[in-house]
Amino acid sequence: MKKIKLNYRNDYKIPNHVVETVDLRFELGEEKTTVTATMTVKANVKAEQTADLLLYGKDQTLCHVKLDKTQLSDKDYKKTDEGLTLFNVPKRCTVEICSEIKPQENTSLMGLYKSKGMFCTQCESEGFRKITYYPDRPDVLAVFTVTIIADKKSYPVLLANGNLVDTGDLQDGKHFAKWHDPFKKPCYLFALVAGDLSHIDDHFITRSGRKVHLAIYTHQHNIDKCHFAMTSLKKAMKWDEEHYGREYDLDQFMIVAVDDFNFGAMENKGLNIFNTQYILADPKTATDQDYANIDTVVAHEYFHNWSGNRVTLRDWFQLTLKEGLTVFRDHSFSESIGSAAVTRIQQVNKLRNFQFAEDHGPLAHPIRPDAYIEVSNFYTATVYEKGSEVIRMLKTILGDELYRRGTDLYFDRYDGQAVTCENFVQCMEEVGDVDLSKFRYWYEQAGTPVLRIRSKYDRKNKSFYVVIKQSCPNTPGQQHKKPFYIPLKMMLLDKHGKQMPLKLEDKPQRLKNNVLILEEELSEFTFVDLKEKPLASFLCGFSAPVKLHYRYTEHQLAFLMTHDYDRFCQWEAGERYTVNEIIRTMKQLQADETPTNYQILINAVRSIFDEEYSDKQFTAEMLLLPTLAYVMQHLKKVDIEHLCKAREIVMKRIASELEDSMEKYYQANQSGDAYNYSKDDVGRRHLKNVCLAYLSESQHPQRFDMALQQFETADNMTDQLAAFAILVNKDTPYRQQVIEQFYQQWRHEPLVIDKWFAIQALADVPDYYDQLAQLLKHKDFNIKNPNRARAVLASFTRNLKHFHDSSGRGYQLISQYIIKLDAINPMVASRLATSLTNWRQFDKARQKLMKQVLKGVVAVDRLSKDTYEIVSKSLAKGV
Ligand code: BES
Ligand code: ZN
């Protein structure tokens, strides 16, 4: 077994030294890059004194170390694979380190690397140590000055954080640029870019009247696709001023879009670096979903300027302090600019599909983990999505005004510091005058809480009695959970669907603005003054990240689908209903019975059309069936074949019974006008395309002709891709034709070709594995580009029916690629490995096959810590 070090949250020690300033000098070359770091170091008076200075560093050749200008010999320091320790340094000193790195050979895309001819960096979380030897930890904050030297012809644009303070020409066709960032920052926020880039300009006047220069950089051929992202940025800047009182601080804000990037984007101070996927858009190549994602991701990274950069993290265990909060901020932003209901529903879908699954498996961890081997494995749905829900709950508990006072206090008090989740909760506690001690369990305990609700109406006393029992399943290392503090928003409806008064018999402090506070294992409430038996609607707006069980009848669910005031609950009623229908159908198939009787379901879906919601996107969302991944969570053991079949049957049934309405809505929502990314048009397109998908379920040639027609005549990617997906997803007559046509049309647009790969990898065709093999052999498949690798491989793992093929060939194939990728890019590899970790959900035969390949991966020589952690944890004994 490997010798692997676990890091524990409780081992935190403040650093022995602080770095006050650091001067970085980069000589970028084709063969090698030389980095010279000169830092002024000071002993930390608060630390337990040791005079040894610890600098992390790896994957570089050390050239020299100087202490106060004197070169050290190797007796004065110790060098290991992880870093350098300089012995006995004075209380104040200057340390100069020179080393050489090879960005052109860096396939991990962490640290300094090259992407399509440009140099760029990614340092969060621990990439800076691949650039130079440095105290690479988030609580060491320094003022950075960066000088970049490079060939002027190949790299005319030289960027780093902060303000440009000097430029000039040098010998041999070289030039330099010098940047200074006045704000102290941890090194994970450092960034550098050098390349032959174009840019677009704009500006933003802050509310205090300062003019901020905005620029988005990318390769010349993409420059026309940056305008939408620029509008996203300006919307985000304004929103943060209005909703959080946060103003931008530097005189300029730059974004660079790069093709090869491990994540979505990165919030480096004043110089955000983005995956092109989240910047580039025009109607012809980007879908409505892409536009929405750009709004969200641009806002997210911008919002980090306060929640992350001005106030940063003490240590990586606190990651949710910046990510959970910033996701909550970008969620709120997206709700405010799009369809609020649909945006919320999509957030909940994401949480339930990914985070609930994570919370239920061997990798479950609290939003603030206690231990890790490799921190990059903790950029998870739990830290992000559940972390965001935890902030949302705080806001629900405190109310809008006090929440805002709390964030103001947090940003004021901790500006320029590296802090903890606890500091944030304390601010909320202080302004809210509430005791949040039980709320803190959300930070400590993993697992998705389950609420079981029972109720009884007492006609004589006109009262409605509700009892709520909460529990939380065991998770690795956590057996007995303490009850969570849960805000449960609810409503009571009368038989006409009107809201009834919510009045508690006692304990009035436990009900505020329709929110009940649960803090014990068992909570009982009696609502009074109810003239008739109410229908209860719980968890409005999804007020807490929990699973809720309450015995609704089919008729009650159908009633809520049309009458609930809360859009989320309305949708949720439909979701509950269809999950039940799919499971019922599955059981009938398992018992060899013919599934019948969908009348209530059909009527309920028909009523969705009859409602004529003004928000078309909401109608479309109501029509979509729950994902397989979500239905799976309702089953103890998954029978994947019957489950897929059952979902298909339900879809086909709806399609055939409601064909007329689908046809009508498909036609009525065609738009003759040019593409516009507006709420209304997005809704029309979404609704129209959902209808088209249902219509094509009939397999009728006329329906495929309709889809082909849309594919060929569409003036925008949303419509073209929707038709493409329909024609490619199944073995339709036009499948090969459109695959070829689409490729020829878009082969020069990598982001569109990613979609082309992804849709094929997600398809359901009889010769699936042959088709997949073709994709993996395709000349445009490039495992080194994360977007392309994910388009094929991650999509394949999400194709549950084929990935979980009973032969086990899906597992074999993915394990080969995990191993291959691990040697190239450990972060992408370990992400991919998570697809095998929930093996306990499947039947014995599949469990065995999955475990077998996991064991094969973990046995690989020189496996990265990243992949090792994911795979070994998933194989560990059950909880
Ligand atoms: N700080 C992260 C980038 C990051 C992710 C660094 C993983 C290191 C490891 C950034 O702010 C972020 O969260 N990006 C998200 C997108 C966002 C909209 C949730 C991403 O890249 O997926
Ligand atoms: Zn983030």
Side-chain angles (χ1 to χ4, degrees), residues 788-804:
R788 193 56 53 87
R790 285 187 286 249
V792 181
L793 297 168
S795 302
F796 162 52
T797 66
R798 278 187 279 114
N799 188 337
L800 299 181
K801 178 165 166 187
H802 293 286
F803 180 59
H804 294 284

Side-chain angles (χ1 to χ4, degrees), residues 154-173:
S154 308
Y155 309 100
V157 175
L158 306 175
L159 309 175
N161 318 83
N163 304 314
L164 184 62
V165 289
D166 198 9
T167 56
D169 287 339
L170 301 167
Q171 287 173 340
D172 305 328

Side-chain angles (χ1 to χ4, degrees), residues 267 300-301 304 323 384:
E267 70 264 27
H300 178 99
E301 305 311 335
H304 269 314
E323 295 302 347
Y384 273 65

Side-chain angles (χ1 to χ4, degrees), residues 11 104 126 210 270 277 380 422 474 502 510 630 670:
D11 285 351
Q104 68 280 13
E126 296 178 337
R210 279 187 319 104
Q277 195 184 353
T380 59
E422 179 52 30
N474 292 343
L502 264 192
R510 297 177 71 182
Y630 184 59
Q670 299 282 4

Side-chain angles (χ1 to χ4, degrees), residues 380-391:
T380 59
T382 299
V383 167
Y384 273 65
E385 259 65 42
K386 187 176 182 179
S388 160
E389 296 302 323
V390 168
I391 305 292

Side-chain angles (χ1 to χ4, degrees), residues 122 124-125 263-267 297 300-301 304 322-323 327 330 379 384:
Q122 170 58 36
E124 186 180 0
S125 19
F263 324 108
M266 176 65 209
E267 70 264 27
V297 182
H300 178 99
E301 305 311 335
H304 269 314
K322 77 175 175 81
E323 295 302 347
V327 170
D330 82 53
Y379 289 73
Y384 273 65

